[in-house]
Amino acid sequence: MKIPRILLAAGASGSGKTLITCGFLQALVNRGLKVASFKCGPDYIDPMFHRQVIGTKSANLDTFFASETCVRYLLNKNATDCDVAVMEGVMGYYDGVAGTSTRASAYDVADVTDTPVILIVNSKGMSLSLAAYIKGFLEFKENSHIRGVIFNQMSPMLYPRMKCLVEEMGVRALGYVPVVKDCVIESRHLGLVLPEEVTELKEKLMALAKILEETLDIDGILELAQNAGKLESETDALWESLLCQENSAFAYRAPRPLRIGLADDEAFCFFYKDNFRLLEKMGAELVPFSPVHDKKLPENLDGMLLYGGYPELHGRELEENETMRNSIREALKKGMPCMAECGGFMYLHEEMEDIDGNPHKMVGAIAGKVFKTNRLTRFGYIELQKNEKPEANRIPAHEFHYFDSTNCGEAYLASKPLSHRSWNCIHATENIFAGFPHLYYYGNPEVPKRFLEKCLAYKEKTV
């Protein structure tokens, strides 16, 4: 399958990847192109900004969570019928698992998908040293996949000279981005602020796109994308290869339709698009509701999903919505299956501190208190394994939070890959699976399968 594609990477976080990616996406949309966008790695917020531009949900590509075949399948599936696929890198280009490997790095995604890469180089405070910096990235791996360079925060006077220097190294200079003070996206403790919080975001991105049309070689970038190699197989063939894996849970289909409540509002908004796709493939109908605004759960639910987000920014509203808290607590007492992660897990506690350290009553399904810490408590990729009756098939996951709990759970052992660090986590009862780890269902389809099996049993029991 021929998918024109490009990956925008950088040497470090804070180099302008997200802003330039969004401006570039806007420029492509303005040209009338149908664009698919992707974020490398376990990121929720950057794809929200992509969505504001292209109008549909951006997807993630992660080689820690999913096999190489699965990553190529997800690229194929999400880019079907699109003119071009644009991927945004994660952290520094070669930065992967444990900080000492390239596994799950932006480079790894480029390598698995054979995607040409454009390196975004923050030029602030450098001139000739930029050539040495770029040369190091080109030569670190035998095939770096880097085919072009964009200079960020560069003056128009310096660019022509740097273009000549860089192209002598056999890589294309594809333009520069001047200092754009009016298009800065602010950050907070979990990363960027949400798109809805950026004043006049659409206007700012339109203004940035207009600048990029003048300073980037967009035709050259599209030419590079068009020259990306053909992927090894069609989408259907890739899916069949996943189904053919021994005892593959990808093949599960619930024998009856299942209505699954999905918490979806400003407090709970960290979603993987592909988690929804797999749940729906397995027979789930996702029914959105708001723990902030709605008075109770939707009717006739067979299960409930509480994903992450920013509940700590909405502690007062969540506490004041007592009828919703009671509705969730009573549903759980009656045995409704629930999967909750990070922010959703925090919401299930008896009490949660908000971002200012003020305590608020929450659902009360999990004994204990969530409290604010002054640093990232646990961060990065992990592998989960049951403490009781360990299984060979581990669950890949990740954690990223500044809050902690007096009762994190003991059902699973979380282990850091390429490290000796581990800790216990997750509450796993007959109907509740809840903890700080975020899960990506394509990494272990047994997780959504088991959840939906419990939802089916609950439905049959209540009917």
Side-chain angles (χ1 to χ4, degrees):
M1 185 174 180
K2 182 68 174 177
I3 299 177
R5 57 195 183 278
I6 202 77
L7 193 156
L8 301 179
S13 296
S15 299
K17 289 192 301 292
T18 300
L19 192 63
I20 292 173
T21 298
C22 288
F24 178 61
L25 289 171
Q26 186 67 65
L28 298 182
V29 169
N30 292 349
R31 289 185 173 204
L33 296 176
K34 186 175 180 182
V35 187
S37 70
F38 298 87
K39 175 68 181 183
C40 300
D43 191 298
Y44 295 104
I45 299 176
D46 289 354
M48 294 182 192
F49 281 90
H50 298 180
R51 182 181 65 209
Q52 291 290 316
V53 178
I54 65 175
T56 60
K57 288 182 179 179
S58 179
N60 295 71
L61 296 173
D62 193 305
T63 51
F64 176 80
F65 287 146
S67 68
E68 293 184 6
T69 299
C70 192
V71 167
R72 286 190 284 269
Y73 163 76
L74 293 170
L75 170 58
N76 270 272
K77 188 68 176 177
N78 285 294
T80 298
D81 299 327
C82 289
D83 298 309
V84 62
V86 178
M87 309 173 196
E88 180 188 342
V90 58
M91 299 175 63
Y93 181 51
Y94 292 112
D95 297 335
V97 170
T100 57
S101 76
T102 59
R103 184 188 173 195
S105 65
Y107 162 78
D108 202 21
V109 173
D111 197 48
V112 165
T113 61
D114 190 22
T115 298
V117 175
I118 298 174
L119 187 68
I120 296 170
V121 180
N122 190 339
S123 308
K124 186 176 181 180
M126 284 195 286
S127 55
L128 182 60
S129 296
L130 289 167
Y133 181 83
I134 293 166
K135 185 178 177 67
F137 276 89
L138 292 173
E139 297 182 356
F140 184 73
K141 287 288 185 179
E142 185 175 350
N143 181 7
S144 69
H145 297 281
I146 297 171
R147 304 289 181 263
V149 174
I150 291 172
F151 296 101
N152 190 24
Q153 298 195 80
M154 177 169 277
S155 74
M157 294 181 62
L158 180 59
Y159 176 68
R161 287 173 279 174
M162 292 310 306
K163 177 179 170 67
C164 291
L165 280 172
V166 166
E167 294 190 339
E168 287 176 1
M169 295 188 286
V171 64
R172 296 175 66 177
L174 292 163
Y176 70 96
V177 182
V179 176
V180 187
K181 295 181 179 178
D182 295 335
C183 292
V184 175
I185 302 175
E186 301 298 331
S187 297
R188 64 157 61 97
H189 60 292
L190 293 185
L192 300 174
V193 297
L194 300 180
E196 293 78 8
E197 300 173 88
V198 180
T199 305
E200 298 179 336
L201 175 62
K202 193 66 177 178
E203 291 79 1
K204 290 179 179 179
L205 291 177
M206 289 294 288
L208 178 59
K210 184 177 181 181
I211 293 171
L212 298 187
E213 280 283 5
E214 298 172 356
T215 64
L216 295 187
D217 181 5
I218 293 180
D219 290 332
I221 296 172
L222 289 174
E223 178 187 344
L224 206 60
Q226 288 285 349
N227 290 334
K230 183 178 179 180
L231 292 177
E232 67 180 31
S233 185
E234 297 288 346
T235 306
D236 290 344
L238 286 165
W239 177 249
E240 287 300 321
S241 70
L242 294 177
L243 292 179
C244 289
Q245 294 173 3
E246 186 177 359
N247 300 320
S248 176
F250 285 116
Y252 175 76
R253 300 292 181 273
R256 300 173 64 181
L258 298 169
R259 281 173 52 87
I260 309 299
L262 171 68
D264 183 2
D265 58 22
E266 59 268 37
F268 304 98
C269 52
F270 288 180
F271 307 127
Y272 288 128
K273 171 185 177 180
D274 290 312
N275 278 1
F276 293 166
R277 170 179 286 125
L278 189 54
L279 284 168
E280 289 167 346
K281 267 182 172 289
M282 289 180 167
E285 175 196 354
L286 300 178
V287 184
F289 70 94
S290 170
V292 174
H293 303 290
D294 295 338
K295 295 303 180 185
K296 62 179 183 177
L297 288 171
E299 298 293 332
N300 302 317
L301 292 183
D302 305 311
M304 184 181 358
L305 291 167
L306 300 171
Y307 290 120
Y310 285 123
E312 64 270 25
L313 301 181
H314 305 278
R316 180 178 57 81
E317 296 97 317
L318 291 170
E319 180 179 33
E320 289 178 351
N321 193 351
E322 186 176 2
T323 57
M324 174 58 80
R325 291 191 289 113
N326 291 340
S327 177
I328 292 174
R329 184 169 60 252
E330 289 306 310
L332 295 176
K333 283 183 179 179
K334 292 176 181 177
M336 180 183 289
C338 173
M339 284 206 297
E341 56 186 45
C342 205
F345 169 59
M346 292 162 60
Y347 179 54
L348 289 182
H349 280 69
E350 293 173 320
E351 186 177 289
M352 179 193 75
E353 289 183 354
D354 63 19
I355 192 67
D356 297 317
N358 301 312
H360 297 280
K361 291 180 180 179
M362 292 292 112
V363 171
I366 291 176
K369 175 182 178 180
V370 173
F371 56 94
K372 182 183 178 183
T373 70
N374 294 318
R375 59 182 177 81
L376 273 173
T377 303
R378 289 176 292 281
F379 167 73
Y381 291 116
I382 54 174
E383 291 180 327
L384 299 172
Q385 189 172 32
K386 283 184 179 179
N387 278 320
E388 183 179 347
K389 298 180 181 178
E391 299 173 342
N393 194 9
R394 297 188 175 193
I395 303 172
H398 72 99
E399 290 196 28
F400 191 97
H401 49 95
Y402 282 80
F403 285 70
D404 208 344
S405 168
T406 58
N407 186 9
C408 288
E410 300 285 334
Y412 281 74
L413 180 71
S415 302
K416 294 283 287 182
L418 302 180
S419 169
H420 298 296
R421 189 180 173 204
S422 63
W423 57 88
N424 287 328
C425 61
I426 296 183
H427 294 259
T429 66
E430 187 59 33
N431 67 312
I432 295 177
F433 185 96
F436 275 114
H438 294 278
L439 308 181
Y440 186 77
Y441 298 159
Y442 277 90
N444 189 328
E446 283 289 341
V447 173
K449 175 190 173 185
R450 291 174 185 174
F451 172 64
L452 293 182
E453 287 175 336
K454 287 182 178 292
C455 294
L456 180 64
Y458 174 77
K459 180 185 186 79
E460 292 175 344
K461 177 183 175 182
T462 55
V463 170

